[in-house]
Amino acid sequence: MKRPTSTLLRILIVLAAAAALRIWGLDWGLPTSEHYFSYHPDETIVLNAATNVDLLSGQLDPGFYNYGSLYIYLLNIAIAVAALVGAINLGGDPLSSIGEFAKVYMTGRIVAVSLGILTVYLVYALGRRMYGKPVGLMAAAFMAIAPLHAMHSKFMAVDVPATFFLVLSLIYAARIPKDARIRNYILAGLFAGFAAATKYNAGLVLLSLIAVHVACAKGRPMFQAFQPRMLAGVLSAGAGFLIGCPGVVLHTQTFLRDFKFEVIHASTGHGLLFVNTGSGFMYHLTHSLLPGLGPALLAFALLGVIHALLRRSTANGIARLLLPWRAQTPMAETAARDWMLIVFIAAYYALIGMAEVRFARYIMPLLPVVSILAARVLIESEQWLANRSRVAGLTVALIAILAIGYTAVYSASVGTLLAFRDTRDQAAAWVKSNVAEGSAIGLPTTPWFYTPPLLPEFGLPSPQDRLEAAEASADLIFVVDGRKEWNADVFNEAAPDYAIISEFEYEDRKRVRDADYEKYMSIVRREYRLEKRFVRRPSLFGYRFPMQWELPHDMSYASPEILVYSRRFATGG
């Protein structure tokens, strides 16, 4: 039996590692005099929504419901507190005081990173509650080093906060097999409501509460959902959602407009980004879970899920689901908790697997659950083998240690993308030092966050504003068609001296062999030479991390590849 101080030391080490991986690079891409907005495309949207709110005066409408409002409210509170203590000066035009504007972004990131680090501790608490301290510690270690969670904890976005509330809901639901008091139902439901009020699909965690309730109750499952305790949990979830997102009743039309947009968006896709990418179920496995966890943790996670599926408890749970009219005896505590996790994994993965939009961050709510199942299968395997062969038990322990070390190095390597100078900044500095004033620069699309900040307005939220800023530029002439992307005719009309292309612009058009892209690039290859290539790959201490996979779109916001071409027979500059 481990002494309390020993356990405390271990969890503190895990939390320190989690904090280091999440705080390192926290200032990535913040607004500067070179670019007025964050390099993360969603942060400005979230911040604009937060500034529309004034909780003290009762102004609860962010005017934006593509996400729930709870994180937006937390951000508004954090900004107000920071201003109150003098950490931020909110007076005047933010673009005329860009340093203060950057602090506002940083405030939102501090909220997110704090919830991300706390989530690691909650994973320990959930794993300990479900399967014991060793599982809790290892699960927390896995969560601490998970590259996707470590990276996205740095962003002022909703995915990490939603996962925080989701794990809180699971903690109280996991208590029910041993303590079925109504208090646990209410708190599990409340935090499920908070999760949904942060990001709507995270509300599926309520199914775990229903699953564990049915698993632990006597009699016919079809009647269990109507028990007072269960009804209290469901009503509590509704209350939590209304507290965190009151716009559903106060501004119903706006809420339905934005919610409908998200439903249509999920079913129709995101431009060319996920076109011809096959099954969403396989895509998330190979393009979200693999880079988001790394191969070692993914292998353990899959073993953990299979282990849980093959247990008799899962068969009993499926029988309850398929035969709800048949009287059942309560499942054992561990079996009920197994079923609680399996139901959530199945429902949530089915939802994101069927969608046409497949960002890697969509798997975020699964990471705590699969971390626990991965830790559980390793701990149980080590214990089972150690009882039969000391060498075999030590081998499993060594494999776990090596996997943690490998994944920690991978996660730190990914972190360097945010910790060091971004490729856009490098490209912009090169252009300003090497391209003559008055030169013409061709851009295939309207400049945005993915474009080197040759003008600070390139990050403006409105495409029209960005285009107008480009057209009004005095130092450089920007050749871009705001009506048609990748319009090769601009070369005939203007013959720019340079062409600058971002990975975010060409990657998917190249993959699907888009005709406009091919025509545009045929001219670039024929009439231009590659002058400079700015690229950064995950690396540590100068050594590139060996990867057989590519980072997905939303793990590539930092340091996209930038290509600078110069005309072979320049007409100017």
Side-chain angles (χ1 to χ4, degrees), residues 316-339:
N316 291 342
I318 293 173
R320 288 168 181 267
L321 182 65
L322 298 179
L323 303 171
W325 58 85
R326 181 176 295 178
Q328 305 279 355
T329 57
M331 295 170 68
E333 288 182 24
T334 300
R337 290 168 180 150
D338 287 347
W339 182 235

Side-chain angles (χ1 to χ4, degrees), residues 41-42 265 268-278 283-284 287-288 355-362 448-450 485 503-512 514 551-557:
D42 293 338
H265 179 222
T268 57
H270 192 84
L272 293 176
L273 185 53
F274 303 106
V275 170
N276 298 337
T277 54
Y283 185 87
H284 276 301
H287 290 73
S288 301
E356 293 297 324
V357 180
R358 301 162 180 174
F359 289 112
R361 62 182 179 269
Y362 290 178
W448 197 18
F449 72 94
Y450 43 71
E485 296 184 342
E503 176 184 358
F504 275 77
E505 295 172 295
Y506 74 75
E507 186 175 39
D508 293 294
R509 288 183 180 269
K510 180 180 179 180
R511 177 176 55 81
V512 302
D514 176 72
L551 292 180
H553 181 88
D554 50 348
M555 288 184 74
S556 302
Y557 289 149

Side-chain angles (χ1 to χ4, degrees), residues 95-327:
L95 298 187
S96 64
S97 182
I98 204 68
E100 296 302 311
F101 193 40
K103 291 179 184 178
V104 175
Y105 276 89
M106 179 60 86
T107 301
R109 292 185 180 183
I110 289 172
V111 174
V113 78
S114 299
L115 295 177
I117 296 168
L118 287 172
T119 299
V120 174
Y121 178 78
L122 293 180
V123 168
Y124 161 71
L126 178 59
R128 180 190 62 187
R129 168 68 58 180
M130 296 188 71
Y131 305 119
K133 282 184 182 179
V135 171
L137 281 168
M138 184 169 284
F142 289 166
M143 193 69 188
I145 60 177
L148 180 68
H149 191 267
M151 172 180 274
H152 279 257
S153 292
K154 300 176 174 74
F155 301 151
M156 184 170 55
V158 298
D159 303 278
V160 168
T163 303
F164 168 81
F165 291 116
L166 182 147
V167 179
L168 274 173
S169 177
L170 289 174
I171 286 173
Y172 286 100
R175 292 182 175 185
I176 289 173
K178 193 171 184 178
D179 180 5
R181 287 181 296 173
I182 195 170
R183 171 181 178 272
N184 289 324
Y185 283 84
I186 290 173
L187 290 173
L190 180 67
F191 287 118
F194 286 169
T198 306
K199 189 167 186 179
Y200 302 126
N201 59 15
L204 279 177
V205 72
L206 184 63
L207 294 177
S208 290
L209 173 59
I210 296 171
V212 77
H213 170 75
V214 171
C216 295
K218 298 178 181 179
R220 293 177 173 82
M222 63 188 299
F223 298 128
Q224 306 310 319
F226 301 101
Q227 288 187 351
R229 288 172 298 176
M230 189 65 248
L231 289 175
V234 173
L235 290 174
S236 180
F241 183 73
L242 288 176
I243 291 169
C245 191
V248 68
V249 293
L250 297 179
H251 307 281
T252 305
Q253 286 189 334
T254 308
F255 173 85
L256 290 176
R257 178 201 67 193
D258 292 349
F259 186 83
K260 181 180 178 182
F261 172 86
E262 287 300 315
V263 172
I264 295 172
H265 179 222
S267 62
T268 57
H270 192 84
L272 293 176
L273 185 53
F274 303 106
V275 170
N276 298 337
T277 54
S279 162
F281 298 99
M282 284 302 300
Y283 185 87
H284 276 301
L285 179 65
T286 57
H287 290 73
S288 301
L289 286 164
L290 175 57
L293 285 169
L297 294 195
L298 176 58
F300 295 154
L302 292 175
L303 287 174
V305 172
I306 293 170
H307 174 64
L309 285 171
L310 293 180
R311 291 174 66 89
R312 186 180 300 175
S313 59
T314 304
N316 291 342
I318 293 173
R320 288 168 181 267
L321 182 65
L322 298 179
L323 303 171
W325 58 85
R326 181 176 295 178

Side-chain angles (χ1 to χ4, degrees), residues 22-55:
R22 285 156 180 77
I23 294 173
W24 190 37
L26 189 61
D27 60 348
W28 163 81
L30 289 175
T32 69
S33 59
E34 303 296 321
H35 60 96
Y36 289 155
F37 296 90
S38 164
Y39 280 151
H40 190 297
D42 293 338
E43 286 192 322
T44 299
I45 296 172
V46 173
L47 182 58
N48 283 342
T51 56
N52 288 336
V53 171
D54 187 348
L55 297 180

Side-chain angles (χ1 to χ4, degrees), residues 7-27:
T7 300
L8 177 61
L9 179 61
R10 285 173 169 82
I11 192 60
L12 287 176
I13 291 172
V14 168
L15 291 175
L21 288 171
R22 285 156 180 77
I23 294 173
W24 190 37
L26 189 61
D27 60 348

Side-chain angles (χ1 to χ4, degrees), residues 396-432:
V396 173
L398 179 61
I399 290 172
I401 292 170
L402 291 175
I404 289 173
Y406 170 87
T407 307
V409 171
Y410 168 43
S411 190
S413 299
V414 171
T416 62
L417 298 178
L418 295 92
F420 298 120
R421 195 180 189 192
D422 194 272
T423 52
R424 281 158 291 202
D425 296 329
Q426 295 177 42
W430 185 89
V431 168
K432 291 172 183 178

